[in-house]
Amino acid sequence: QASPSKRSFQLDYEHNCFLKDGVPFRYISGSIHYARVPRPAWRDRLIKMYMSGLSAVQVYVPWNYHEMLPGVYDFAGNRDVEAFLDLTAELGLLVILRPGPYICAEWEMGGLPAWLLWKPDIILRTSDPAFLAAVDSWLHVLLPKIKPRLYQHGGNIISVQVENEYGSYYACDYGYLRHLLGSFRALLGNEVLLFTTDSTGVEELRCGTLQGLYATIDFGPGSNATEAFDAQRHVEPKGPLVNSEYYTGWLDYWGEVHASTSAAWVARGLEDILQLGASVNMQSSFLQLTSLPWPGADYKDQYKPVTTSYDYDAPLSEAGDPTEKLFAIRTVISKFQPLPVGPMPPATPKYAYGWVALQKYADLLNVLDVLCPSGPIQSQFPLTFEAIKQAHGFVLYRTQLPRDIPDPATLSAPPHSICDRSYVMLQKEYQGMLERDGQITLRVTGKAGDTLDMLLENMGRISFGANISDFKGLLGNVSLDYSPLSNWLIYPLAIDTAVQQGWPHAAMPKSSSRGRAGPAFYTGIFETPGIAWDTFVKFPGWSKGQLWINGFNLGRYWTERGPQQTLFVPGSVLHVGRPNNITVLELERAPLSPLLLFLDRPLFNRTLGRNISATQ
């Protein structure tokens, strides 16, 4: 191995390849998101990737995961990106780093912090001075952690991506890309290889590329590899061919059938790429769960929130298990380079802990003192989440009916102003639900002075689409028979904080109605039989809500809409020898017998699949 002073990773425009320490080099890489894998499982997943024959891993850094409030940084525990990078080096894997600032990744707001929207007129991903100031502040914290880990400095990071698929964004702001290029060069030096990634469209490559950043492309197994790389050659006539996102699967949206892509199709496409001498990164190949609040959403003519699971029909499953697809990929890789000696590590053990009975703890409206200890904010008209500096989760909006309504009147909101779902209660009785790009009216009756509550849920900010300034809450006035309602009390709810601190298990039981409709908390306990193995929770008869085990937010279930029917529970969150506390927030309607079922395998719409169209 070359000494640090001689280590180099460069472009060879004469021979159309990379040069690693002066020797022609081609990488075969796979994506892994450390933010989606519990830290105790990092080593297991990386070893499986190494044993698959990969020479590198591609790693996103989500800005909002580390700077959840302006100037407040968290790099501890699961967020210790330096420890993760050091582990990749220990295991002999090179790294292609994707630090954004925008990353997409089906992650909340594409990795951009929600607090950017506290300035409501900010123009994201442009040379808007407010956006650039926030970006520069972040890069000055992150990139000094990266610089000593660059290949040239003795580390294992061979290249760094600037932005992500910028050509798919409407702004096409070259000044912004030039600013990023200057910042990355100033903080990382002139030797590191900086690159961009875009789809193969002419317009995308026009707006997403910049002189001084090596342009790479992305495409899936449905594309003709030769034609796709011809598109790269239009912007990079010389240099290595690179597919930075070869799609081995696809994401799931709530309400659509689980995506699946055949192993044979993926393997054939990979072989075509490698036969052309190209370098490749298999996108989202080696992933796991996304705990809340991090799943994002796409905007494709309508708002499409992404499921909790990021299983992606990937070569390594949500639980980190090798699949048929992984072995098909490994076989293809073996035709082009030697595989590591030794067996592939086995699947992690799973356990079906069986049925667990829950009991209703309290209706959400009866525990506002716990969930909003600072009390409500008063406002003439509704305020957004961002206006009250609430990033994620839920906000309750409360007002009173201004008059008697003996005959049904229409409660309504303007189009696109419910962001993203509203659970409506009148005098604490559940009335129904309003939804973004869906139902925006309800018929109600009541008396003057009756309390109207609207619980607003953030289902994930848009991570890919025309504009990712995705404000949450009530974005417009709510009307009763077209007369705007006013005088609101607005409760920002800190549910996660309360549950992480032991509530409601550490609290006295609340007397509660036996009703099953509307937002309510349910609790239960179970013990493991001396083991803490991975498991999957099914929600028979439940509608939609969230699950916590031992204070850890395991994400959103939506049994009625699917396709995801189970939530993955990593064994690392379970206790052995003492009870495991379960907390469920059901938002719509609980079953007559509130039971959960722990299984040893996942259910995605009962494993129905769909093949991905060639355009993806």
Side-chain angles (χ1 to χ4, degrees):
Q1 192 173 29
S3 67
S5 60
K6 296 178 182 175
R7 287 162 66 93
S8 62
F9 191 84
Q10 299 166 314
L11 298 163
D12 183 343
Y13 288 104
E14 185 178 347
H15 299 100
N16 297 327
C17 66
F18 292 112
L19 291 177
K20 181 169 169 275
D21 302 329
V23 177
F25 179 77
R26 178 253 294 278
Y27 63 73
I28 304 175
S29 169
S31 292
I32 179 168
H33 302 183
Y34 65 91
R36 281 184 160 118
V37 180
R39 183 168 179 167
W42 286 352
R43 181 178 293 271
D44 171 78
R45 306 304 186 264
L46 289 169
I47 289 173
K48 286 169 178 167
M49 296 176 78
Y50 178 81
M51 294 306 296
S52 303
L54 302 181
S55 53
V57 292
Q58 196 176 80
V59 179
Y60 281 124
V61 181
W63 176 8
N64 56 8
Y65 191 59
H66 297 285
E67 191 181 359
M68 292 183 69
L69 290 170
V72 181
Y73 302 99
D74 187 351
F75 291 97
N78 274 5
R79 291 172 164 82
D80 192 343
V81 61
E82 292 177 278
F84 181 81
L85 292 172
D86 292 345
L87 183 57
T88 64
E90 176 193 328
L91 296 174
L93 288 159
L94 298 170
V95 167
I96 300 149
L97 194 73
R98 308 177 85 176
Y102 166 83
I103 62 169
C104 184
E106 289 72 58
W107 187 267
E108 155 90 8
M109 210 160 131
L112 301 180
W115 51 259
L116 291 169
L117 300 179
W118 293 358
K119 186 175 187 296
D121 59 348
I122 195 169
I123 307 173
L124 302 173
R125 301 177 71 193
T126 69
S127 39
D128 178 332
F131 182 65
L132 291 185
V135 168
D136 284 347
S137 176
W138 162 239
L139 293 179
H140 275 81
V141 171
L142 175 67
L143 295 186
K145 299 176 186 295
I146 302 309
K147 187 173 183 179
R149 292 173 170 83
L150 296 175
Y151 189 78
Q152 293 84 348
H153 298 164
N156 64 328
I157 299 173
I158 54 174
S159 59
V160 177
Q161 181 177 306
V162 175
E163 246 280 347
N164 184 57
E165 294 185 324
Y166 189 64
S168 298
Y169 194 57
Y170 76 94
C172 200
D173 184 343
Y174 293 118
Y176 167 55
L177 288 182
R178 277 193 290 271
H179 181 93
L180 289 181
L181 172 58
S183 296
F184 276 70
R185 282 280 172 237
L187 291 164
L188 294 179
N190 292 321
E191 292 184 353
V192 62
L193 172 59
L194 300 177
F195 71 99
T196 59
T197 301
D198 284 283
S199 62
T200 56
V202 172
E203 187 67 11
E204 285 85 345
L205 286 168
R206 183 180 73 83
C207 287
T209 59
L210 186 75
Q211 188 172 358
L213 297 170
Y214 189 71
T216 74
I217 57 171
D218 53 35
F219 60 89
S223 299
N224 178 299
T226 303
E227 291 177 6
F229 284 125
D230 282 347
Q232 185 189 359
R233 281 289 174 244
H234 284 302
V235 289
E236 292 290 2
K238 296 287 186 181
L241 299 174
V242 182
N243 182 348
S244 289
E245 294 186 9
Y246 175 65
Y247 303 111
T248 59
W250 201 247
L251 59 142
D252 284 339
Y253 301 110
W254 289 115
E256 298 189 11
V257 180
H258 177 53
S260 64
T261 313
S262 82
W265 199 34
V266 169
R268 187 162 59 248
L270 177 63
E271 188 159 355
D272 290 345
I273 290 169
L274 296 179
Q275 281 177 338
L276 293 171
S279 289
V280 62
N281 171 71
M282 285 169 275
Q283 174 70 355
S284 304
S285 2
F286 304 91
L287 292 178
Q288 198 159 358
L289 79 163
T290 306
S291 60
L292 292 181
W294 303 116
D298 283 357
Y299 196 89
K300 298 176 179 177
D301 301 322
Q302 64 175 358
Y303 175 76
K304 294 165 69 93
V306 174
T307 57
T308 304
S309 170
Y310 203 55
D311 174 273
Y312 211 91
D313 192 35
L316 276 179
S317 77
E318 176 181 43
D321 298 340
T323 65
E324 173 197 358
K325 191 178 289 182
L326 183 76
F327 289 105
I329 287 170
R330 195 170 185 252
T331 299
V332 170
I333 292 173
S334 72
K335 298 177 182 178
F336 295 90
Q337 61 189 41
L339 295 175
V341 176
M344 174 67 66
T348 57
K350 316 290 186 304
Y351 196 81
Y353 297 101
W355 292 96
V356 176
L358 304 188
Q359 61 183 21
K360 186 172 179 180
Y361 173 79
D363 291 302
L364 179 141
L365 294 179
N366 291 337
V367 288
L368 294 180
D369 58 329
V370 175
L371 304 180
C372 184
S374 59
I377 297 158
Q378 298 185 34
S379 177
Q380 180 79 3
F381 294 108
L383 301 172
T384 64
F385 277 40
E386 293 73 22
I388 61 172
K389 299 187 176 180
Q390 171 98 344
H392 308 292
F394 298 86
V395 170
L396 184 80
Y397 295 79
R398 171 173 285 179
T399 189
Q400 293 181 324
L401 296 186
R403 57 185 169 82
D404 288 344
I405 312 169
D407 300 314
T410 301
L411 182 75
S412 64
H416 315 299
S417 67
I418 300 286
C419 291
D420 299 303
R421 283 170 70 84
S422 173
Y423 307 92
V424 181
M425 284 75 68
L426 195 55
Q427 289 294 91
K428 296 190 176 182
E429 291 292 322
Y430 184 59
Q431 304 295 307
M433 181 273 306
L434 305 177
E435 184 172 31
R436 182 174 182 166
D437 296 335
Q439 178 178 335
I440 55 172
T441 63
L442 279 176
R443 303 283 279 170
V444 298
T445 60
K447 295 188 174 71
D450 281 358
T451 300
L452 173 72
D453 287 301
M454 300 180 70
L455 179 68
L456 268 288
E457 178 185 13
N458 170 3
M459 287 285 296
R461 288 185 180 80
I462 291 167
S463 50
F464 186 85
N467 185 351
I468 51 174
S469 295
D470 190 11
F471 295 89
K472 297 302 184 185
L474 289 176
L475 274 53
N477 290 332
V478 176
S479 299
L480 196 60
D481 274 351
Y482 310 106
S483 174
L485 295 172
S486 60
N487 299 318
W488 292 86
L489 295 177
I490 304 171
Y491 295 79
L493 303 184
I495 300 175
D496 247 352
T497 302
V499 177
Q500 286 166 5
Q501 292 172 353
W503 183 89
H505 292 268
M508 293 294 291
K510 286 265 183 182
S511 59
S512 169
S513 75
R514 298 181 62 83
R516 296 185 290 121
F521 290 94
Y522 293 78
T523 59
I525 60 171
F526 75 102
E527 296 202 20
T528 64
I531 53 170
W533 287 0
D534 296 349
T535 187
F536 299 87
V537 186
K538 188 171 186 283
F539 299 82
W542 299 79
S543 302
K544 181 181 192 298
Q546 292 182 18
L547 168 72
W548 293 260
I549 294 182
N550 297 327
F552 187 87
N553 190 336
L554 289 161
R556 182 180 290 123
Y557 66 88
W558 200 349
T559 311
E560 289 191 340
R561 193 161 291 191
Q564 183 177 352
Q565 297 293 313
T566 51
L567 287 177
F568 176 65
V569 183
S572 56
V573 310
L574 299 179
H575 299 153
V576 176
R578 56 193 170 107
N580 291 279
N581 292 330
I582 299 173
T583 304
V584 169
L585 168 59
E586 168 60 47
L587 295 163
E588 296 181 23
R589 180 173 291 273
L592 196 57
S593 299
L595 299 167
L596 300 183
L597 178 58
F598 287 80
L599 304 169
D600 60 3
R601 66 199 64 195
L603 291 176
F604 295 101
N605 217 27
R606 296 180 179 82
T607 66
L608 288 175
R610 64 180 167 92
N611 282 323
I612 301 306
S613 68
T615 58
Q616 296 174 333

